[in-house]
Amino acid sequence: MPALATVSGPLPKLGVIVVSLLVAGVLLAREPRGRALATLAALILAPVLLAAELWHSPQLSIVHRHSLYAVVGIVVGIAILLGLARLLTPRRALVAPLAVFALPFRVPIQSGGTTSNLLVPLYLVVAVGCLAWMIPVLRDEVREPLVADGSGGWAVRVERLLALVIVLYGIQSAYSSDFEKALQQMVFFYVPFALLYRLVRDLSWDRTMVTRCLRLLAVLAIAFAAIGFVEYATKTIILNPKLVVANDLHTYFTVNSVFFDPDIFGRFLALTMVLLAVLLIYDRDQREQTGVIVVLAVLWAGLVLTLSRSSLGALLVGLGVLAALRWRPGRALVIALAVVLLGAVAVAASPRTFGLNQGINGASSGRGGLVSGGITLFGQRPLYGYGSGSFVTEYRRAHRRTATTLSASHTIPVTIAAEQGIIGELAYIALVVCALVCLLRRARGDPVRSAVAAAFTALVFHTMLYADFLEDPVTWVLLGAGVALAVALPGGTLPPSPDLGRSRRPRPGAALEG
């Protein structure tokens, strides 16, 4: 890619490291003005890095031919963002539902010779939300109190580890064999999603906000499932030409709705089902619970049509966590073991149905080979890996005859081990453990916290079989909301949550149980 050769020089690499440090400042700064300055610098530097990458690409050819128009367009765009921020400033609570609404929508954009499906609407929400908070702070119109950590330090640990993971990614991009990929990951995912985390984390998650976001999520999921039903009935795919070819080659038909990948669609449906399922295990109006059952049935049908085994597994894990937080963990464990046993019997009775006659690699759509290949890469450079974003390049180099569709990683721990070695792997494991402790600690008896913790656990499980951990904005939203709820009161405890009902057998202090 000679057109992009300029981005591999020292300045872009230094820029990625600097922007990662700015993101760390956004996550860790406790003084509002310092955080606002770090946010402003990150908002400016990230687009500059992206423009440097694409400067000689066809996408920016119009900028070279009509520089004045480009400048005017930038000025108009900034003015629109400032105007929207002004409207949002007195209504900052709208950031949460706006972000939830924007989460699924992706726009295909060519970058570096490939097409990326980017969350452009979400980027707009993040930029406007940051400006709406940042401008009053920089003008000294608002002096917000510091956010107290009442969760025994677990929230602080999560944020420190998030900052560490991002800074390590930035530093390790400097020696990556695919620096362009690392730059894109930083600009398209880590920077905007970290800012999104900060916005969500600083909101007050009261009854109104929780209810509004959950209802919006349910409406979106039903609409996307309906699109999936239309795809299945008409045997047409809206997005992803590769999926069209795959469906033509097989007897089955997989749907993806507005999502590029059926597994991402399945993940979205599974996580929504976990969040909604909490309404069935706590006291609610019977009519409302009946409606929830109908919604879950529709989403389940849509999930089945994705044929996403990883999403089905994530759903089971999330429901298992919900059950363990609602009832005695032993009872939930017995039920989980029974489900696993029934599944094993079904697989043993009809292995061809599950593709086991093709071997582990065939049954897993080539992911077994990706795992073994990633472990081999890790063994070659166990300490520091091949550099951020390098997995695809290095895997293709070692497996030149591998099909293109199998040269993207689908197991996050293996990807991190190959790219960042033991250094990155330890940071990742520490982040996951601390996040789970923060979200699960004292969540028993609280339906809202239980739902968020269960959904996050399901997402972590899904990343073990598919991909996209910190590359998925849902991770950051769940973490932001979960951490905000965990530190809502001193000691990290919450009262019985009014927005999702009371326990069927309310007990004094039930929400305080760990």
Side-chain angles (χ1 to χ4, degrees):
M1 291 182 294
L4 299 178
T6 55
V7 302
S8 59
L11 285 181
K13 292 179 179 180
L14 179 61
V16 170
I17 295 174
V18 170
V19 81
S20 70
L21 292 172
L22 291 173
V23 170
V26 173
L27 293 171
L28 300 180
R30 299 299 169 190
E31 193 273 320
R33 188 172 183 83
R35 184 185 299 167
L37 290 173
T39 300
L40 177 61
L43 285 174
I44 294 173
L45 183 55
V48 169
L49 288 172
L50 180 60
E53 179 195 4
L54 300 178
W55 188 249
H56 296 290
S57 64
Q59 293 94 320
L60 293 187
S61 59
I62 189 173
V63 174
H64 299 295
R65 296 196 306 267
H66 306 286
S67 300
L68 180 60
Y69 292 159
V71 172
V72 172
I74 292 172
V75 172
V76 172
I78 293 175
I80 292 174
L81 289 177
L82 291 173
L84 293 174
R86 184 178 181 85
L87 293 175
L88 189 62
T89 298
R91 308 171 183 85
R92 280 185 54 213
L94 290 177
V95 168
L98 287 174
V100 168
F101 179 79
L103 280 176
F105 297 104
R106 291 164 169 81
V107 177
I109 293 179
Q110 287 191 345
S111 173
T114 61
T115 300
S116 301
N117 295 281
L118 303 180
L119 294 149
V120 175
L122 183 62
Y123 299 155
L124 176 63
V125 172
V126 170
V128 173
C130 287
L131 290 172
W133 170 81
M134 181 177 59
I135 293 175
V137 172
L138 293 178
R139 289 178 174 175
D140 289 328
E141 296 175 3
V142 177
R143 287 184 171 84
E144 296 185 357
L146 297 179
V147 178
D149 174 32
S151 62
W154 286 106
V156 171
R157 294 185 186 102
V158 169
E159 288 166 357
R160 287 175 178 172
L161 287 168
L162 280 172
L164 175 63
V165 167
I166 293 175
V167 171
L168 280 177
Y169 195 90
I171 294 174
Q172 292 183 283
S173 71
Y175 60 87
S176 173
S177 56
D178 192 353
F179 173 73
E180 289 83 3
K181 174 70 172 180
L183 186 150
Q184 291 171 16
Q185 294 280 94
M186 183 66 70
V187 171
F188 290 145
F189 303 129
Y190 297 153
V191 173
F193 297 166
L195 297 179
L196 174 63
Y197 168 88
R198 192 73 260 173
L199 291 172
V200 173
R201 162 74 165 87
D202 291 339
L203 293 175
S204 175
W205 285 84
D206 56 14
R207 172 180 179 175
T208 301
M209 186 179 299
V210 171
T211 303
R212 183 181 295 164
C213 289
L214 190 58
R215 287 177 177 172
L216 179 58
L217 196 61
V219 170
L220 287 173
I222 292 174
F224 297 150
I227 294 174
F229 298 151
V230 173
E231 285 183 325
Y232 188 81
T234 60
K235 297 298 186 290
T236 57
I237 295 296
I238 299 175
L239 300 172
N240 195 347
K242 294 180 181 178
L243 184 59
V244 174
V245 174
N247 282 332
D248 290 339
L249 295 176
H250 298 97
T251 56
Y252 54 79
F253 189 88
T254 307
V255 303
N256 63 344
S257 189
V258 300
F259 299 80
F260 192 77
D261 194 308
D263 284 302
I264 294 296
F265 180 32
R267 174 192 285 188
F268 179 82
L269 293 177
L271 296 181
T272 303
M273 292 175 70
V274 170
L275 293 172
L276 289 172
V278 74
L279 294 167
L280 301 180
I281 60 177
Y282 288 86
D283 277 343
R284 300 295 294 168
D285 179 76
Q286 187 174 0
R287 195 179 316 172
E288 182 179 357
Q289 288 195 332
T290 301
V292 171
I293 292 173
V294 172
V295 171
L296 289 175
V298 172
L299 301 188
W300 167 256
L303 180 57
V304 170
L305 294 182
T306 67
L307 301 182
S308 174
R309 288 162 289 186
S310 56
S311 300
L312 290 170
L315 175 61
L316 291 176
V317 170
L319 294 178
V321 173
L322 273 184
L325 291 173
R326 174 62 183 87
W327 298 292
R328 293 180 180 178
R331 185 185 304 177
L333 181 61
V334 170
I335 296 174
L337 290 176
V339 172
V340 171
L341 181 60
L342 288 174
V345 171
V347 171
S350 180
R352 291 180 62 87
T353 302
F354 299 90
L356 293 184
N357 58 305
Q358 307 171 43
I360 297 297
N361 199 49
S364 61
S365 301
R367 294 174 189 177
L370 290 170
V371 171
S372 62
I375 293 174
T376 300
L377 292 174
F378 169 67
Q380 293 169 354
R381 289 191 184 180
L383 180 59
Y384 54 89
Y386 284 89
S388 306
S390 63
F391 183 92
V392 171
T393 298
E394 295 300 328
Y395 186 87
R396 283 177 174 166
R397 185 175 297 167
H399 304 80
R400 297 186 183 278
R401 296 184 179 181
T402 300
T404 303
T405 54
L406 295 182
S407 49
S409 171
H410 287 285
T411 308
I412 286 297
V414 173
T415 304
I416 294 174
E419 292 184 354
Q420 300 177 262
I422 294 175
I423 297 173
E425 192 73 16
L426 289 177
Y428 158 77
I429 293 173
L431 172 61
V432 171
V433 171
C434 285
L436 289 173
V437 171
C438 181
L439 298 187
L440 291 168
R441 187 171 180 262
R442 296 187 175 129
R444 180 181 296 278
D446 187 301
V448 179
R449 292 197 60 205
S450 296
V452 172
F456 182 79
T457 307
L459 188 150
V460 170
F461 175 84
H462 194 273
T463 65
M464 305 293 178
L465 303 176
Y466 181 68
D468 295 348
F469 179 52
L470 294 182
E471 297 79 13
D472 189 338
V474 177
T475 303
W476 298 83
V477 171
L478 289 173
L479 263 181
V483 170
L485 290 165
V487 302
L489 292 176
T493 61
L494 289 172
S497 201
D499 38 299
L500 292 181
R502 301 164 301 180
S503 169
R504 292 187 185 278
R505 285 185 260 176
R507 292 165 291 145
L512 309 183
E513 294 180 0

